[in-house]
Amino acid sequence: MTRVIAITGKGGTGKTAIAALLIRYLTKGNKIVLAIDADPDTNLPETLGCEAETGIGDMREFMLNERDNLPPDVNKESIFESKIYEVLTEMPGYDLLVMGRPEGSGCYCYANNLLRGIMDRLVKNYDVVIIDTAAGLEHFSRKIIRDVDDLIVVTDGSRRGLRTGERIRELVGELEANVKNIYVIANKVTEANKDKISETAKELKLELIGAVEVDEMIQERDLVGSPLFDLPDDSVAVREIENIAKKLKL
Amino acid sequence: MADEFPFEISPMFEGERVRKDGMYVELAGPKSKGFELVKSVEMDEIEDGKFTLIGPDLSAMEEGSRHPIAMIYRIAGELVEQDLEAIVERRNHDFQNYIQGVMHLNQRYDIWIRVSKDAMKKGLNSFEQIAKATMMLFKNELPFIEKIEATYITDLAEVEKELDGAIATYTARDERTRDLHDEDVDVFYGCTLCQSFAPTNVCVVTPDRISLCGAINWFDGRAAAKVDPEGPQFAIEKGEIIDAEGGEYSGVNDLAKSLSNGEYDRIKIHSFFEYPHTSCGCFEVVGFYIPEVDGIGWVDRDFTGTAPNGLPFSTMAGQTGGGKQIVGFLGIGINYFRSPKFIETDGGWDRVVWMPKHLKDKVLADIPEDIVDKVATEEDATDLESLKAFLTEKKHPILERWVEEEEEDEEVVEETTTAASTMQMPTMTAGAPMMPAGLGLGSGSGSGGSGVKITLKNAKVSIDRVIIKKSE
Ligand SMILES: Nc1ncnc2c1ncn2[C@@H]1O[C@H](COP(=O)(O)OP(=O)(O)OP(=O)(O)O)[C@@H](O)[C@H]1O
Ligand code: SF4
Ligand SMILES: [Mg+2]
């Protein structure tokens, strides 16, 4: 069975970094991963150190634009599927799919319906799917992938960040989403705020599954703009992600 | 029987993806060339089960390499005919995906195939094995195929040599498909995907009417209903023909009634004014009646200005959507303009007076020659005055209706005046629903509605007597 994990949280909290490090951990353990960047402001490829120029959104647009020119009796799902496979970036151990261009005006009902079917089938080919979504887009990514096993809310440790977590929890309730578990990861934690965070999390009844400290190696890489995928094993963040992954039984 | 193959064969493997890491070879695909083709031939032209390979075999291909491939199947049988070629050909996709370790994507000259390393390890080493398995499935699943022969080509020059012929076959086939009409089929398809926000909307998709969102044609409906008959697209038996021209069928009516929860019980698929198709809000184009010229204008999503009636797309879309039958507005898919039955019962193209330039350009080739220059765009007309002037100057066939209308108007007036016991003057701002004069006004200035202003021009109004009474 494929395990589907969606990562969300407020802007800039470290969703993409956490996603990249989870993918790093999984591929090292020989798991086959499908990474999905559902943030229209694509930046997971960069963090992973690969390239993805076009995404699902562009292919969906292609289908919308071309539909009247296609032979009338073609199987549109099979063409769409092939187009999605075309934009999959294939890397050792993982494949990456970016969402890219969001919906425009017009009707996306049918295209999205085909897409859900295609994604259902695609997802089954992987051990784990990691979805990096922008805050508030949990709903959006669920349009494409029906069932999410774990929703991970990344917070930067501030009370506001944890409140976001609480709000997401409510939102998911309202959506009656098929989300089995919700966890919180505190990121960019310092000695000073560590205890405060776990207290607040408890108050808000959120399950804190890990706390990633501010990592100097990440900061160094930020400065030169190099990917996080090949961080060394002794990076603080890498080690904590390993703990988290084990708690998640990945 | 499958024992003779070094791989498993099952529909279970259909969604199986061969990743780059696990791929032995890639065939055709976006970075190479290829095609698949099924040809019907006479029984004595082929030898059942025969396989020919032109070019290198799997075993001669290097791990991780990419090659072109053409797969040509010749089929024969008493019931085999040319029209079946496309249906049979599409099954190649299914059958090759049944083979464990083989991934087949897309169709025709866009096919894209991968064979996995695992499959090679288990003993797959020749295209003959794949071809034989595929031919076996063809014969098992499509028993009308009595004989089948396969030729695979992996030599680039040879593939290219055959490609033009294949493309010609596809083109000819598409022309035949486009020639399928409502009267040629017994089943239409319905779609209720949009009922989540327009609960009474039911889209009816027929060979001559694409869905109003433009996404689903009759063939798509058929394909989807076959895969999942309980899904959002489903078959509708046509039933009895009630009105051939307007496109009214008992089967459609029955279904409309049940799926709209009794909201409406009649649909005329090709009618603008009588029991029109409902619109959920997804339409690509909305048609609007312009009572002042008794014609129909069309406006699409991409048009940002206002139509001659002073309204932008968004306003009219708001009026039209919601899954109700709104006489005077109709949502359609762009391809419906290309249908020979396009609002046939209302006069077809002769009733069309205005559309945005970019929309007109899109369907230009499908507008009848004698009317194409007479349909105004925003470059010719931006309001009712300029529209009327344009139509008059171009001698648009709609002018004939204006004459009729004038005559009718006089009749109306006479009727109402003789029958008038209370004040029944045809008001100049009849709050009538948008209907052509024959419908709305013929019944004597209709009841309240959308507050649309209908102006009678050149109507001679004669009144014998006006009695004003205090209402009791
Ligand atoms: N544990 C950490 N230690 C130090 N820096 C970190 C850590 N986690 C993330 N960062 C840095 O913080 C910044 C924001 O992280 P990231 O881009 O992953 O956040 P995000 O939530 O995905 O942002 P967005 O909402 O813009 O997508 C980046 O520069 C990242 O390298
Ligand atoms: S608009 Fe399109 S998707 Fe929506 S119900 Fe109609 S056919 Fe289906
Ligand atoms: Mg991000």
Side-chain angles (χ1 to χ4, degrees):
Chain A
M1 273 300 283
T2 310
R3 180 90 171 263
V4 180
I5 301 177
I7 300 173
T8 184
K10 235 173 45 135
T13 48
K15 299 179 289 290
T16 305
I18 303 277
L21 294 182
L22 275 174
I23 294 162
R24 175 192 183 280
Y25 172 84
L26 289 162
T27 49
K28 290 219 175 216
N30 288 326
K31 293 269 174 26
I32 310 272
V33 181
L34 175 64
I36 301 179
D37 189 343
D39 187 343
D41 187 20
T42 309
N43 50 32
L44 184 60
E46 224 181 294
T47 315
L48 287 171
C50 63
E51 273 175 49
E53 272 153 33
T54 41
I56 295 179
D58 292 299
M59 293 303 116
R60 185 170 54 190
E61 226 52 42
F62 168 87
M63 292 305 290
L64 289 175
N65 293 334
E66 287 305 308
R67 64 190 177 197
D68 289 346
N69 304 328
L70 296 170
D73 61 339
V74 293
N75 178 347
K76 288 187 186 139
E77 181 168 359
S78 122
I79 295 181
F80 198 6
E81 176 181 56
S82 172
K83 288 281 154 195
I84 298 293
Y85 279 29
E86 250 176 70
V87 298
L88 260 174
T89 304
E90 299 183 282
M91 301 296 289
Y94 73 92
D95 290 347
L96 169 76
L97 204 47
V98 305
M99 219 23 244
R101 188 194 310 205
E103 289 176 15
S105 68
C107 175
Y108 284 77
C109 305
Y110 182 63
N112 283 340
N113 194 49
L114 291 183
L115 189 53
R116 271 190 297 271
I118 293 165
M119 291 305 290
D120 275 354
R121 255 176 291 137
L122 178 64
V123 158
K124 291 201 185 99
N125 286 282
Y126 300 86
D127 299 317
V128 184
V129 179
I130 303 277
I131 314 171
D132 175 12
T133 74
L137 285 179
E138 304 80 21
H139 186 55
F140 168 78
S141 15
R142 286 208 54 259
K143 261 168 120 176
I144 290 143
I145 293 195
R146 284 177 242 243
D147 302 312
V148 171
D149 294 293
D150 313 274
L151 185 70
I152 296 180
V153 182
V154 181
T155 153
D156 52 9
S158 68
R159 193 177 167 87
R160 249 200 15 241
L162 282 166
R163 282 254 170 254
T164 310
E166 198 190 28
R167 262 214 313 283
I168 288 168
R169 178 186 208 115
E170 284 163 13
L171 182 76
V172 170
E174 281 163 28
L175 288 173
E176 294 169 54
N178 304 336
V179 175
K180 291 194 195 114
N181 313 298
I182 301 178
Y183 302 106
V184 174
I185 295 180
N187 189 26
K188 304 192 214 177
V189 172
T190 57
E191 273 308 318
N193 63 14
K194 215 172 181 172
D195 297 337
K196 188 94 185 60
I197 291 171
S198 38
E199 260 173 54
T200 323
K202 246 184 229 143
E203 268 172 46
L204 296 174
K205 297 202 176 67
L206 292 170
E207 184 173 346
L208 193 63
I209 197 169
V212 184
E213 285 171 25
V214 172
D215 187 332
E216 277 173 24
M217 291 192 202
I218 293 185
Q219 285 171 330
E220 277 164 28
R221 277 163 197 252
D222 267 353
L223 286 176
V224 285
S226 56
L228 303 183
F229 195 69
D230 53 356
L231 273 174
D233 290 341
D234 61 353
S235 123
V236 191
V238 165
R239 277 191 315 219
E240 179 61 5
I241 291 294
E242 198 175 314
N243 289 331
I244 293 170
K246 280 182 184 144
K247 281 192 211 160
L248 288 169
K249 300 203 168 58
L250 287 177
Chain B
M1 213 215 284
D3 288 352
E4 60 184 285
F5 301 111
F7 40 72
E8 279 192 66
I9 300 173
S10 157
M12 206 174 80
F13 300 116
E14 241 181 327
E16 177 199 29
R17 167 171 170 77
V18 176
R19 294 186 61 246
K20 196 172 170 184
D21 285 347
M23 173 188 98
Y24 185 77
V25 283
E26 178 168 89
L27 305 155
K31 295 184 181 137
S32 183
K33 280 192 177 160
F35 66 90
E36 63 190 9
L37 185 69
V38 167
K39 280 282 201 189
S40 60
V41 294
E42 294 303 321
M43 285 291 272
D44 54 9
E45 286 180 65
I46 52 171
E47 184 187 318
D48 190 33
K50 186 177 165 197
F51 173 71
T52 314
L53 177 68
I54 304 171
D57 204 347
L58 262 180
S59 52
M61 291 177 175
E62 223 173 285
E63 185 173 312
S65 61
R66 185 182 297 126
H67 302 264
I69 193 165
M71 294 184 276
I72 302 163
Y73 302 95
R74 269 172 273 269
I75 57 169
E78 207 177 322
L79 298 173
V80 167
E81 48 178 87
Q82 213 186 8
D83 278 347
L84 288 172
E85 289 174 355
I87 297 170
V88 174
E89 190 177 290
R90 256 193 306 274
R91 298 306 298 276
N92 191 47
H93 171 73
D94 302 335
F95 298 154
Q96 300 215 318
N97 276 323
Y98 288 1
I99 301 174
Q100 189 179 19
V102 176
M103 173 180 93
H104 180 292
L105 296 168
N106 223 319
Q107 51 145 27
R108 291 191 174 176
Y109 47 78
D110 290 318
I111 53 166
W112 179 7
I113 295 152
R114 282 180 177 181
V115 178
S116 78
K117 285 183 203 162
D118 277 351
M120 296 295 282
K121 262 187 223 133
K122 285 186 193 148
L124 175 63
N125 56 24
S126 166
F127 286 115
E128 179 155 16
Q129 295 159 314
I130 295 176
K132 291 249 152 126
T134 311
M135 287 195 278
M136 176 195 85
L137 288 165
F138 268 123
K139 282 186 76 180
N140 286 355
E141 307 259 330
L142 307 169
F144 57 83
I145 299 175
E146 292 171 45
K147 278 180 162 186
I148 182 164
E149 197 181 295
T151 306
Y152 285 12
I153 311 173
T154 54
D155 178 274
L156 182 62
E158 291 294 321
V159 169
E160 281 173 341
K161 226 164 73 191
E162 298 289 329
L163 188 60
D164 287 345
I167 290 175
T169 309
Y170 303 140
T171 313
R173 238 189 239 166
D174 290 345
E175 267 161 35
R176 282 201 305 276
T177 332
R178 288 209 166 85
D179 213 29
L180 187 82
H181 300 292
D182 290 1
E183 54 273 22
D184 303 328
V185 301
D186 296 324
V187 177
F188 294 155
Y189 293 92
C191 178
T192 49
L193 256 183
C194 292
Q195 281 205 342
S196 50
F197 49 88
T200 56
N201 186 65
V202 184
C203 280
V204 182
V205 181
T206 80
D208 287 315
R209 195 187 201 271
I210 192 160
S211 70
L212 53 93
C213 58
I216 304 176
N217 68 25
W218 185 84
F219 295 96
D220 300 325
R222 183 178 67 176
K226 201 168 151 202
V227 175
D228 180 10
E230 307 291 311
Q233 288 96 32
F234 47 86
I236 307 174
E237 294 288 335
K238 266 162 76 176
E240 303 287 315
I241 302 176
I242 299 170
D243 170 6
E245 199 187 49
E248 187 178 11
Y249 300 86
S250 64
V252 174
N253 283 348
D254 292 347
L255 199 97
K257 192 171 175 181
S258 64
L259 287 176
S260 73
N261 285 318
E263 183 81 20
Y264 50 90
D265 54 12
R266 295 180 75 178
I267 293 182
K268 293 197 177 194
I269 292 156
H270 301 295
S271 169
F272 191 95
F273 295 112
E274 256 195 332
Y275 309 108
H277 192 288
T278 58
S279 305
C280 59
C282 289
F283 38 78
E284 290 188 282
V285 179
V286 54
F288 53 99
Y289 178 59
I290 311 176
E292 291 84 350
V293 297
D294 197 11
I296 297 170
W298 301 91
V299 60
D300 66 324
R301 254 167 223 287
D302 293 336
F303 182 66
T304 49
T306 53
N309 61 359
L311 301 174
F313 174 83
S314 53
T315 308
M316 291 194 266
Q319 291 256 17
T320 316
K324 302 251 170 8
Q325 283 181 328
I326 312 280
V327 177
F329 291 106
L330 183 71
I332 63 162
I334 290 175
N335 238 3
Y336 185 51
F337 284 120
R338 305 194 169 104
S339 166
K341 294 199 174 55
F342 168 67
I343 58 166
E344 198 181 11
T345 177
D346 308 303
W349 276 100
D350 284 356
R351 204 68 188 269
V352 176
V353 293
W354 189 90
M355 58 206 299
K357 174 98 175 32
H358 63 256
L359 181 59
K360 186 175 169 184
D361 285 346
K362 237 186 220 174
V363 294
L364 206 60
D366 301 276
I367 306 179
E369 233 172 273
D370 52 334
I371 185 104
V372 66
D373 296 327
K374 299 173 184 172
V375 177
T377 71
E378 72 274 22
E379 291 175 2
D380 312 306
T382 50
D383 56 15
L384 294 170
E385 280 312 307
S386 48
L387 179 60
K388 263 184 234 173
F390 180 86
L391 298 174
T392 311
E393 187 205 316
K394 296 283 174 183
K395 299 200 175 60
H396 191 291
I398 205 83
L399 299 185
E400 285 165 35
R401 286 179 187 268
W402 295 0
V403 180
E404 283 168 33
E405 200 180 319
E406 277 166 31
E407 286 164 7
E408 267 174 45
D409 288 343
E410 279 177 66
E411 275 166 37
V412 171
V413 171
E414 276 159 33
E415 266 170 42
T416 43
T417 44
T418 43
S421 53
T422 56
M423 185 171 168
Q424 273 251 332
M425 209 178 84
T427 43
M428 302 305 270
T429 53
M434 283 196 154
M435 284 189 194
L439 286 170
L441 296 175
S443 58
S445 79
S447 53
S450 46
V452 173
K453 183 171 167 181
I454 298 184
T455 315
L456 302 179
K457 283 264 165 145
N458 296 326
K460 296 176 202 82
V461 180
S462 61
I463 299 169
D464 282 351
R465 210 159 34 130
V466 178
I467 301 172
I468 300 174
K469 273 207 277 186
K470 194 178 161 233
S471 62
E472 276 120 77

